[in-house]
Amino acid sequence: VQLQASGGGLVQPGGSLRLSCAASGSITSINAMGWYRQAPGKQREFVLVARIDDGGNTNYRNSVKGRFTISRDNVENTVYLQMNSLKPEDTDVYFCSANVFTAGLGTGDYWGHGTLVTVSS
């Protein structure tokens, strides 16, 4: 299973970006999908930004509630993160993740490469 993330870039404070992450490979079904950012000062630890399960239920980090919206396309196996009213403190590398079930193999967590979001004037 591979996750391909895109959509990062440089934006001014108050601006918007839309991140996308498409899953491909040996996928029977996808449970939860989410976006994470790297924990400050901890290279291999990630903090949740937003998550959506296969029922469409969402949860968000407090700092992004009301500004970010996560959604998914179950046909395209893609998760999106619409980021509005961006602030400089949103600057980070964002990673997508998916909990995938593959028939004959079971369930596993997969990660995409990071995509850099820079909010600066």
Side-chain angles (χ1 to χ4, degrees):
V1 176
Q2 300 82 39
L3 299 183
Q4 181 68 43
S6 61
L10 172 64
V11 64
Q12 292 187 342
S16 298
L17 282 175
R18 189 191 196 209
L19 306 183
S20 300
C21 178
S24 61
S26 299
I27 299 170
T28 302
S29 62
I30 300 179
N31 302 315
M33 304 183 81
W35 290 94
Y36 296 76
R37 55 188 293 181
Q38 198 159 300
K42 299 183 178 181
Q43 193 170 14
R44 294 184 181 275
E45 292 189 24
F46 302 95
V47 294
L48 176 70
V49 176
R51 180 182 178 273
I52 184 168
D53 67 18
D54 54 355
N57 300 301
T58 59
N59 58 292
Y60 296 90
R61 181 179 180 82
N62 284 339
S63 62
V64 308
K65 287 181 180 178
R67 300 188 298 122
F68 292 8
T69 302
I70 190 170
S71 61
R72 62 189 281 176
D73 182 330
N74 292 325
V75 174
E76 299 293 334
N77 290 332
T78 300
V79 62
Y80 304 96
L81 185 67
Q82 179 66 44
M83 311 167 77
N84 298 330
S85 302
L86 281 159
K87 304 176 181 180
E89 51 264 41
D90 295 320
T91 296
D92 210 332
V93 179
Y94 287 74
F95 297 85
C96 63
S97 179
N99 184 258
V100 176
F101 173 71
T102 299
L105 291 178
T107 300
D109 291 320
Y110 297 88
W111 291 83
H113 62 83
T115 185
L116 176 63
V117 172
T118 303
V119 185
S120 175
S121 54

